[in-house]
């Protein structure tokens, strides 16, 4: 069962001393589905329905995506990725209880499913339960040691607990696995700024801005530039680490 949505949900920002702004969080990254030959082509099986749900998710039709994933699990109650993706969409809509139920269903089918742990961890972190979120990210990495999003999300959760060294270590690993993960540079830069490493922070924000620009993500590019300008205008600032 391919065509998984690999996506780190925007679980939290890092509280900073930079005018109340928060750094850009992990953007969507999807594997394109193999769709029927035309939008009106009949959907005859669970895989086609799942593919259509993925496509609807990518274009922002979240309610339509849920309806398709509902259909998938009716046709095939063991289709793990349908639960994971429906849970992701439900979390995007703020229905965290239903999202958790979906991730739990996926893990009952496959207790070693790394992406289900990662996505469940993002919901736990959104609810402020950083310790439980870290436990889920740990599980994701136990079953997939190259899961870059899990490292990135665990870094955010460590920041939520005020553990700057652990956050930086996780961002370092995420960047090693995905050198173009702009969000990891941006968040690592804000942590470095709080630790008084102004030069490292500026270098990270410059890299984040460059990557966001290359990716065509103008809102995130502008946010990175705003952080960068604030850092450059505060040469002596060494603010404490904030959760």
């Amino acid at each position: 069962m391919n065509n998984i949505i690999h996506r780190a949900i925007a679980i939290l920002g890092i509280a900073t001393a930079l005018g109340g702004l928060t750094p850009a969080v992990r953007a969507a990254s999807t594997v394109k589905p193999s769709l029927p030959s035309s939008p009106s082509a009949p959907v005859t099986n669970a895989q086609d329905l799942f593919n259509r749900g993925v496509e609807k998710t990518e274009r922002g039709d979240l309610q339509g995506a849920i309806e398709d994933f509902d259909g998938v699990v009716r046709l095939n109650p063991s289709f793990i990725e349908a639960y994971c993706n429906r849970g992701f969409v439900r979390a995007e809509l703020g229905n965290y209880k239903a999202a958790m139920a979906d991730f739990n269903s996926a893990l009952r089918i496959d207790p070693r499913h790394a992406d289900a742990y990662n996505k469940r961890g993002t919901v736990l972190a959104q609810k402020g339960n950083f310790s439980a979120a870290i436990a889920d990210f740990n599980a994701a990495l136990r079953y997939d040691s190259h899961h870059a999003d899990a490292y990135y999300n665990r870094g955010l959760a460590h920041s939520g607990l005020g553990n700057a060294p652990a956050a930086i270590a996780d961002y370092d690993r995420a960047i090693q696995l995905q050198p173009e993960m702009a969000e990891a540079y941006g968040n690592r830069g804000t942590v470095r700024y709080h630790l008084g490493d102004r030069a490292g922070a500026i270098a990270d924000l410059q890299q984040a801005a460059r990557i966001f620009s290359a990716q065509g993500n103008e809102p995130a590019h502008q946010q990175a530039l705003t952080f960068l300008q604030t850092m450059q205008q505060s040469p002596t600032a060494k603010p404490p680490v904030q959760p």
Side-chain angles (χ1 to χ4, degrees):
M1 296 179 185
N2 299 318
N3 306 318
I4 305 167
I5 293 179
H6 293 290
R7 207 257 196 196
I9 300 172
I11 61 175
L12 66 150
I14 302 169
T16 75
L18 304 180
L21 297 174
T22 55
V25 292
R26 183 79 177 113
S29 175
T30 60
V31 176
K32 299 294 183 181
S34 299
L35 293 172
S37 57
S38 72
S40 59
V43 175
T44 58
N45 58 52
Q47 184 66 54
D48 284 348
L49 197 58
F50 174 80
N51 290 345
R52 193 174 71 179
V54 171
E55 193 274 336
K56 287 180 179 179
T57 303
E58 291 191 318
R59 69 169 190 256
D61 180 8
L62 301 186
Q63 291 294 349
I66 288 176
E67 292 173 6
D68 281 345
F69 295 139
D70 287 346
V72 174
V73 298
R74 281 195 298 269
L75 290 169
N76 183 355
S78 297
F79 201 127
I80 296 175
E81 305 308 339
Y83 291 105
C84 286
N85 288 327
R86 188 174 66 180
F88 158 69
V89 174
R90 285 172 164 172
E92 285 286 276
L93 293 171
N95 190 348
Y96 298 136
K97 182 177 180 180
M100 290 292 289
D102 275 337
F103 300 140
N104 290 338
S105 293
L107 289 168
R108 280 194 293 271
I109 298 168
D110 180 5
R112 300 170 62 88
H113 197 278
D115 202 50
Y117 282 111
N118 178 58
K119 286 184 169 68
R120 190 174 71 176
T122 65
V123 172
L124 289 167
Q126 282 179 313
K127 295 169 67 176
N129 193 344
F130 299 131
S131 295
I134 288 171
D136 268 356
F137 299 139
N138 289 343
L141 292 166
R142 184 162 59 249
Y143 298 122
D144 180 1
S145 62
H146 291 82
H147 200 307
D149 285 355
Y151 281 110
Y152 172 82
N153 286 334
R154 192 173 68 178
L156 288 174
H158 279 310
S159 291
L161 291 174
N163 189 344
I168 288 177
D170 278 338
Y171 295 142
D172 287 347
R173 183 60 177 145
I175 290 168
Q176 287 174 356
L177 291 168
Q178 288 190 16
E180 297 302 300
M181 188 186 285
E183 299 85 356
Y185 287 103
N187 281 283
R188 189 176 68 179
T190 62
V191 176
R192 284 177 164 173
Y193 180 82
H194 286 304
L195 293 174
D197 180 7
R198 179 173 172 270
I202 289 173
D204 273 346
L205 267 293
Q206 288 174 333
Q207 183 73 341
R210 182 193 67 78
I211 297 172
F212 280 132
S213 179
Q215 293 172 345
N217 188 342
E218 189 57 26
H221 176 227
Q222 290 301 320
Q223 187 179 42
L225 291 178
T226 297
F227 268 71
L228 185 59
Q229 182 180 26
T230 302
M231 290 176 181
Q232 291 171 329
Q233 292 176 346
S234 304
T236 62
K238 292 187 178 181
V241 176
Q242 297 290 333

